[in-house]
């Protein structure tokens, strides 16, 4: 039992990352880990040659089941659905591939894949698993997995952000954005927002939020101008990228994640749904 527990603990961060990238939900990823542990604890000790591969296979199958359930929930979701933001450790930002794979922008691209395509893409492109390993996780032949991986890769390449900024450039842009919002500098805010910037707000029908995307620098600036007077903006590292945590009376009210290209904000993701803000008081360790 000690060896079983040790193997699970050793790979827990990896398994959580797999589940989170497939689901975009930390709460559901935690549920997947619970189910993975229950199945893993029932395995006869000594019968598994590669615990890591076996655990990833269990996690993937459980996540696929949750992903289909999540899909049904999203169909009735009020307004835009955004991934659950995570306060991440500094090492995530240092791993460029991992940071890109968990960014808000990339998780939203992954939302456009089918469940099986998403699983194959994540396992192959992010975690570099062999096709035969992935085949065992998604119940397909290795040849079929190759085809799915090719299709998913092309789909993501056509939709992923172009010219993504470095961490340093993103940090500078986010800081300029924060100063402009806090000081009510409308000109400075318009300078840092791309003309065709898009703001998505996720309130989940629980708190006030725009039910449709807000498009254009002037419209977005008008929305942002209303938040400065009653809130504080705290710089943070969210999903591997510099971001802002908006606090009202000391409590987390909103997470503002951003997509930065060529020194300007092209995408703003405002997560306000209280059910999605529980992972912002402590850092979450992610791993490849």
């Amino acid at each position: 039992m000690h060896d079983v527990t040790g193997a699970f603990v050793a790979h827990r961060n990896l398994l959580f990352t797999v589940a989170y990238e497939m689901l975009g939900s930390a709460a559901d990823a935690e549920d997947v880990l619970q189910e993975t542990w229950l199945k893993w604890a029932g395995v006869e000790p000594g019968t598994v040659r590669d615990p890591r591969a076996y655990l990833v296979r269990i996690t993937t199958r459980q996540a696929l089941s949750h992903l289909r359930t999540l899909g049904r929930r999203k169909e009735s979701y009020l307004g835009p659905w955004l991934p659950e933001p995570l306060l991440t450790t500094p090492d995530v930002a240092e791993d460029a591939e991992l940071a890109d794979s968990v960014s808000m922008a990339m998780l939203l691209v992954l939302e456009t894949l089918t469940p099986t395509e998403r699983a194959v893409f994540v396992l192959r492109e992010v975690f570099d698993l062999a096709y035969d390993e992935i085949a065992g996780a998604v119940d397909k032949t290795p040849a079929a997995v190759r085809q799915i991986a090719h299709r998913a890769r092309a789909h993501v390449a056509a939709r992923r952000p172009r010219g993504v900024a470095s961490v340093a450039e993103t940090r500078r842009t986010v800081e300029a954005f924060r100063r402009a919002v806090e000081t009510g500098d409308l000109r400075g805010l318009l300078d840092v927002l791309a003309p065709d910037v898009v703001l998505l707000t996720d309130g989940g029908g629980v708190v006030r939020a725009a039910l449709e995307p807000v498009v254009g620098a002037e419209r977005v600036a008008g929305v942002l101008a209303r938040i400065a007077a009653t809130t504080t903006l705290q710089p943070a590292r969210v999903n591997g990228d510099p971001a802002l945590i908006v606090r009202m009376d000391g409590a987390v009210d909103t997470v503002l994640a951003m997509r930065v290209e060529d020194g300007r904000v092209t995408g703003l993701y405002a997560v306000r749904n209280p059910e999605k803000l529980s992972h912002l008081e402590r850092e979450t360790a992610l791993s490849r």
Side-chain angles (χ1 to χ4, degrees):
M1 189 62 185
H2 176 74
D3 291 341
V4 170
T5 303
F8 183 83
V9 171
H11 298 298
R12 188 191 185 285
N13 291 346
L14 165 69
L15 302 178
F16 177 86
T17 308
V18 169
Y20 177 71
E21 291 204 19
M22 285 184 60
L23 299 168
S25 165
D28 285 282
E30 293 285 2
D31 288 344
V32 165
L33 256 63
Q34 292 275 359
E35 295 162 7
T36 299
W37 163 250
L38 291 174
K39 289 186 175 295
W40 173 244
V43 173
E44 190 68 30
T47 61
V48 176
R49 288 187 302 173
D50 187 343
R52 178 182 183 272
Y54 195 92
L55 282 163
V56 168
R57 185 160 70 245
I58 297 174
T59 299
T60 301
R61 288 177 173 174
Q62 297 304 314
L64 277 170
S65 177
H66 277 255
L67 195 53
R68 295 182 177 102
T69 302
L70 261 178
R72 291 191 291 272
R73 293 201 326 237
K74 290 171 190 173
E75 289 174 1
S76 59
Y77 200 81
L78 192 61
W81 183 95
L82 291 175
E84 185 176 347
L86 299 177
L87 195 65
T88 46
T89 54
D91 60 304
V92 174
E94 293 167 5
D95 184 336
E97 289 186 19
L98 179 59
D100 176 61
S101 70
V102 297
S103 69
M104 284 285 182
M106 177 56 76
L107 290 175
L108 285 174
V109 172
L110 295 183
E111 283 293 311
T112 64
L113 296 171
T114 68
T116 301
E117 285 174 343
R118 185 165 183 170
V120 169
F121 182 87
V122 167
L123 295 178
R124 179 63 184 171
E125 299 301 314
V126 181
F127 299 98
D128 199 29
L129 263 65
Y131 289 113
D132 57 345
E133 287 184 274
I134 300 172
V138 298
D139 293 325
K140 303 285 185 182
T141 66
V145 168
R146 284 180 181 275
Q147 291 181 334
I148 294 169
H150 176 76
R151 186 167 66 244
R153 196 179 302 119
H155 182 99
V156 170
R159 291 163 178 79
R160 74 189 309 162
R162 305 293 180 183
V164 176
S166 67
V167 173
E169 183 182 5
T170 299
R171 186 179 295 112
R172 287 194 298 272
T173 304
V174 172
E175 178 58 22
F177 173 92
R178 183 184 67 82
R179 288 197 305 270
V181 173
E182 285 185 333
T183 59
D185 180 3
L186 182 60
R187 182 68 263 168
L189 189 54
L190 290 172
D191 285 343
V192 81
L193 295 175
D196 56 351
V197 62
V198 178
L199 166 64
L200 298 175
T201 57
D202 178 345
V206 181
V207 296
R208 186 177 179 182
L211 298 181
E212 299 292 338
V214 181
V215 182
E218 290 191 3
R219 291 187 65 204
V220 170
V223 173
L224 295 171
R226 295 196 291 268
I227 73 172
T230 58
T231 61
T232 58
L233 304 180
Q234 171 194 342
R237 192 179 288 104
V238 174
N239 286 57
D241 286 330
L244 296 171
I245 296 177
V246 182
R247 292 182 180 271
M248 184 175 292
D249 297 326
V252 176
D253 177 81
T254 305
V255 169
L256 269 177
M258 304 178 204
R259 183 174 75 243
V260 175
E261 300 175 63
D262 298 323
R264 285 190 164 188
V265 177
T266 58
L268 271 167
Y269 313 106
V271 182
R272 304 204 64 225
N273 185 345
E275 295 178 359
K276 295 185 177 183
L277 300 178
S278 62
H279 283 74
L280 294 165
E281 298 298 346
R282 66 184 188 282
E283 292 180 337
T284 298
L286 302 175
S287 171
R288 287 197 298 152

